[in-house]
Amino acid sequence: MHPLMMGSLSWIEYQQRLQEENAIVLIPCGALEQHGPHLPLGTDALLSTSVAQSVAEQINGIVAPTFSYGYKSQPKSGGGQCFPGTTSLDGNSLSQSIRDVVRELARQGANQLVLVNGHYENQWFLTEGIELAIRDVGSSSPLRVMRLEYWDFLTSDILDQVFPDGFPGFALEHAAVIETSLMAHYHANLVRLDRIPDVPLHEFPSYDVFPQRSDWVHPSGVLSSAKSASAEKGKLMANHIATGIAVAIQQEFGAKHFAVNGIAPR
């Protein structure tokens, strides 16, 4: 039994956790999507889960089971739908699933939820699910929900250290330095550094076309090179991200019983 993981608790243990002051449930959200020849298909789910666990350790939170399928991969941020293994949901399916789970957790008494997103394309469908769930439970419910993308907690000083030659932007970082470094830190046994393709920074037109065109994306599925990735960079980013999220949760939910790396609740 792991006291932070909802799926490993009995219902009695879970009920006891929910009755703790300022109980916070984190919901990792990822995808099943190609991440080049050097990272596993489950990278987005693995990273959102690892980040959520790291945050939970700092705030004594509860980590719900991961949403391991996400919205459709887009060429300019994930390589697109043409790669074997990329298995996606329609936007409405994802929103309705999030709606159901948020509403169910609220029914059980989990009133402070944090959705930790690890898949770029999920963002607005998670938002829709949250808003529908809040409408379902009604204005008298104490339910409050945060939604965040973990990469947004990488500040400019950290990005300057990770990208001394310039940061290409989060969309082009698919299967590149950030994700590869974080995976090397959290899941080193799943990273094949020797298979990282040496690809130039991808350039896309300023529009989208449908059906998606596979010739827009490098055959490897990578949008920019991960050659400079390292476990050391991953550790630097992972620690910064987890602490930043923990502090944000502390500030938003007004937690009274925990401190984050020596930072007392305000």
Side-chain angles (χ1 to χ4, degrees):
M1 188 273 288
H2 194 303
L4 298 179
M5 305 305 292
M6 178 180 173
S8 70
L9 301 174
S10 71
W11 74 264
I12 296 172
E13 292 162 337
Y14 176 61
Q15 182 182 57
Q16 291 170 341
R17 290 297 318 275
L18 285 184
Q19 292 172 347
E20 295 173 358
E21 184 180 10
N22 286 102
I24 294 169
V25 178
L26 300 102
I27 307 173
C29 302
L32 189 64
E33 177 189 43
Q34 73 81 22
H35 278 73
H38 60 293
L39 294 177
L41 290 163
T43 290
D44 290 343
L46 287 164
L47 288 181
S48 61
T49 303
S50 294
V51 169
Q53 289 174 343
S54 296
V55 173
E57 289 169 359
Q58 295 195 38
I59 65 171
N60 193 34
I62 306 166
V63 181
T66 303
F67 273 88
S68 294
Y69 294 92
Y71 181 63
K72 300 180 186 73
S73 179
Q74 300 300 304
K76 294 194 286 186
S77 54
Q81 289 289 113
C82 64
F83 292 88
T86 297
T87 308
S88 306
L89 299 177
D90 288 342
N92 183 62
S93 299
L94 178 57
S95 294
Q96 293 297 333
S97 296
I98 292 293
R99 175 187 193 176
D100 288 346
V101 169
V102 169
R103 187 178 58 211
E104 279 292 283
L105 292 175
R107 178 182 63 80
Q108 298 159 10
N111 295 317
Q112 298 184 135
L113 308 180
V114 182
L115 274 70
V116 179
N117 183 31
H119 179 57
Y120 195 88
E121 291 88 338
N122 279 349
Q123 299 179 46
W124 299 116
F125 301 101
L126 300 183
T127 298
E128 175 73 356
I130 292 166
E131 292 187 335
L132 290 172
I134 288 174
R135 188 172 71 188
D136 290 342
V137 300
S139 58
S140 62
S141 170
L143 175 65
R144 296 175 65 195
V145 184
M146 292 176 65
R147 189 220 79 207
L148 58 89
E149 284 67 53
Y150 71 76
W151 51 83
D152 283 338
F153 289 82
L154 290 170
T155 54
S156 58
D157 59 320
I158 298 296
L159 291 173
D160 287 344
Q161 294 179 59
V162 175
F163 298 95
D165 297 324
F167 176 51
F170 288 119
L172 292 181
E173 264 298 295
H174 177 74
V177 175
I178 291 176
E179 289 186 316
T180 303
S181 296
L182 287 171
M183 283 294 291
H185 169 63
Y186 282 123
H187 302 285
N189 61 313
L190 298 178
V191 181
R192 300 176 176 90
L193 294 176
D194 59 318
R195 297 187 183 179
I196 294 176
D198 191 7
V199 299
L201 189 66
H202 211 76
E203 294 185 7
F204 290 100
S206 55
Y207 56 85
D208 295 310
V209 294
F210 302 93
Q212 295 179 1
R213 288 175 50 179
S214 60
D215 62 342
W216 274 19
V217 181
H218 189 273
S220 69
V222 176
L223 306 184
S224 61
S225 178
K227 286 290 188 181
S228 65
S230 68
E232 291 74 23
K233 288 182 177 180
K235 181 178 180 180
L236 172 69
M237 290 188 287
N239 291 341
H240 191 80
I241 288 168
T243 297
I245 294 174
V247 170
I249 292 171
Q250 171 187 303
Q251 293 174 342
E252 184 61 34
F253 290 143
K256 300 176 182 178
H257 71 289
F258 61 83
V260 177
N261 287 355
I263 303 172
R266 65 179 193 177

